[in-house]
Amino acid sequence: MKILVTGGAGYIGSHTIVELMKAGYDVLAIDNFDNSYPSVLENLAKITGKTIEFEEVDIRDKAALKKYINAHKDIDAVIHFAANKAVGESVALPLKYYENNVGGTVNLLEAMQEANINQIVFSSSCTVYGEATPPVDENAAIPVAQSPYGNTKQICEEILTDQSKACDLKVVALRYFNPVGAHESALIGELPIGVPNNLVPFITQTAIGKREVLTVFGDDYPTPDGTCIRDYIHVVDLALAHVAAINYLAQKKYTEAFSVFNLGTGRGNSVLEVIKTFEAVSGVKLNYKIGPRRAGDVVQVYAACDKAANELGWRTQKSLEECMLSAWQWEKAIASSSVN
Ligand code: NAD
Ligand code: UD1
């Protein structure tokens, strides 16, 4: 099978390309390098031993996207990662998010329909659940989104549902919990541009000396140690779930045209547990302080993962220790290279 990966130079896209190629799939990738670097493609070639079939295409450019897809009509399925993902930025620049995340998805679906490509795996997020009681399963209510970014994920799921009813489109929407860590080669990983918003890159950047101090956003939450709880999933486990989703589509295991799965470990860890695990595996004492709560933070969220286990035949294999160790090895690798 030939799989098109949009956003293939990005964090999750690049790890997914490795696992797809390992599983024997032919992969094509597109990206506009809005939040990634061309060097990722060289590093993917080092890991896989093959040149990645890549073209620089912006999914907002409908004509260019259609031209590209029409030239590759033998694509069997698309995995759609390309999007902007910074929650804070989406509040300041909502139209950027609606144009790219929603408009880009519409362009992609139009191009796929024209070329008779009728299978798609979509990157959604646990952010669609807002404040829910964990473990959160796929039937949990979807409240009004707390940010334009979260809204783009809800809207795209609706667009995909509608399109799957209107034509012969099969959709797997994957709701990721908190992706962290990096490939064991330390050749690919997350490359946050500017000051990271997310916990794990902030930890590793503080440990390496790029940031002076990590602020823990609140220790007065109703949790055992007072800090927020999340479900941290290793990016390689996440990548493997995409291979499972492609297999699921290929083997027509779905019962409905639109299927949705949570991708998490099913385990909740507090901010302090993450910090302590990092210190244990890295041997580095982290400079951190307790600060005020961050506006908009959910107290605790972790996934119910039974659906993915039962229907996709997938579950996570990696521990929080492996997440933190690989994130640390990646941080050390980027510190000693010219990237970033
Ligand atoms: P990322 O920014 O590393 O990767 C996205 C890639 O898409 C980047 O390489 C970027 O350059 C590219 N891109 C953006 N706009 C594009 C456009 N118009 N045309 C072509 N390429 C474009 O992000 P990621 O962490 O790999 O996330 C991938 C997907 O998963 C996104 O849809 C994101 O919303 C979703 N997601 C991510 C997380 C997370 O924490 N990382 C959590 C839940 C969902
Ligand atoms: C963020 C996004 C969410 C996205 C998710 C997965 C927001 C509001 N939400 O959620 O849409 O789906 O990432 O990538 O940005 N923390 C600190 N200090 C820091 C950074 C974070 O204490 O410097 C804490 C946070 O308060 C939170 C936890 O660490 O409790 C995880 O934070 P983060 O990595 O930003 O992820 P989420 O808040 O879960």
Side-chain angles (χ1 to χ4, degrees):
M1 271 177 86
K2 192 168 261 194
I3 316 294
L4 170 64
V5 177
T6 76
Y11 174 43
I12 306 169
S14 58
H15 289 81
T16 300
I17 288 175
V18 171
E19 299 308 325
L20 284 168
M21 289 175 72
K22 255 201 211 164
Y25 287 106
D26 282 344
V27 177
L28 301 175
I30 58 173
D31 204 297
N32 69 349
F33 300 122
D34 177 64
N35 196 35
S36 52
Y37 298 88
S39 58
V40 169
L41 302 169
E42 289 158 32
N43 289 336
L44 280 174
K46 282 185 201 154
I47 295 170
T48 62
K50 288 185 189 146
T51 305
I52 310 302
E53 222 179 311
F54 176 85
E55 209 163 302
E56 191 169 338
V57 178
D58 188 321
I59 61 165
R60 290 170 301 184
D61 183 343
K62 193 190 279 194
L65 183 61
K66 281 191 175 176
K67 192 172 165 214
Y68 176 84
I69 288 190
N70 280 322
H72 298 90
K73 282 199 163 139
D74 56 343
I75 292 168
D76 296 289
V78 178
I79 308 184
H80 180 32
F81 294 105
N84 296 119
K85 62 167 181 175
V87 176
E89 185 191 50
S90 81
V91 177
L93 301 173
L95 298 183
K96 174 178 175 180
Y97 279 69
Y98 288 114
E99 184 193 22
N100 198 25
N101 297 10
V102 179
T105 300
V106 171
N107 289 346
L108 178 64
L109 290 173
E110 226 178 277
M112 287 173 64
Q113 190 170 1
E114 263 184 37
N116 283 319
I117 301 166
N118 57 14
Q119 305 185 89
I120 186 166
V121 176
F122 175 71
S123 297
S124 190
S125 168
C126 71
T127 197
V128 301
Y129 296 121
E131 186 85 56
T133 308
V136 182
D137 71 26
E138 291 82 353
N139 297 317
I142 307 287
V144 172
Q146 284 173 345
S147 70
Y149 167 72
N151 205 22
T152 67
K153 293 299 174 191
Q154 294 189 6
I155 293 170
C156 283
E157 286 196 16
E158 287 174 3
I159 292 171
L160 288 159
T161 304
D162 290 344
Q163 180 70 350
S164 73
K165 287 177 189 158
C167 65
D168 179 29
L169 180 73
K170 301 293 180 277
V171 182
V172 174
L174 301 175
R175 292 179 182 153
Y176 313 154
F177 281 65
N178 288 53
V180 294
H183 191 257
E184 61 181 4
S185 64
L187 285 166
I188 53 171
E190 189 171 11
L191 275 173
I193 292 172
V195 182
N197 297 309
N198 295 119
L199 177 65
V200 174
F202 210 107
I203 288 178
T204 56
Q205 288 196 7
T206 306
I208 208 120
K210 260 193 206 168
R211 313 273 155 218
E212 205 188 316
V213 58
L214 167 80
T215 303
V216 174
F217 296 141
D219 70 347
D220 56 351
Y221 284 100
T223 60
D225 67 19
T227 64
C228 291
I229 289 174
R230 297 288 183 274
D231 185 334
Y232 296 94
I233 173 171
H234 196 296
V235 66
V236 172
D237 276 335
L238 193 59
L240 287 166
H242 292 75
V243 178
I246 289 291
N247 293 339
Y248 177 84
L249 287 170
Q251 293 160 17
K252 300 192 191 313
K253 284 189 177 164
Y254 42 79
T255 51
E256 285 173 290
F258 179 93
S259 316
V260 61
F261 296 97
N262 282 345
L263 298 182
T265 63
R267 176 187 68 220
N269 286 108
S270 72
V271 177
L272 290 178
E273 280 171 344
V274 173
I275 291 173
K276 291 201 172 86
T277 305
F278 173 79
E279 291 184 330
V281 300
S282 68
V284 177
K285 182 88 193 72
L286 198 70
N287 187 24
Y288 72 91
K289 62 172 190 205
I290 307 295
R293 293 180 176 194
R294 179 171 70 176
D297 264 342
V298 166
V299 179
Q300 60 168 330
V301 64
Y302 50 90
C305 312
D306 306 340
K307 192 174 176 207
N310 295 337
E311 296 183 31
L312 295 179
W314 167 93
R315 57 178 76 246
T316 57
Q317 292 163 27
K318 293 187 185 287
S319 62
L320 185 61
E321 283 74 11
E322 287 168 287
C323 289
M324 300 314 290
L325 186 60
S326 65
W328 179 228
Q329 283 162 344
W330 167 241
E331 187 66 62
K332 287 192 288 185
I334 41 182
S336 60
S337 82
S338 56
V339 176
N340 222 17

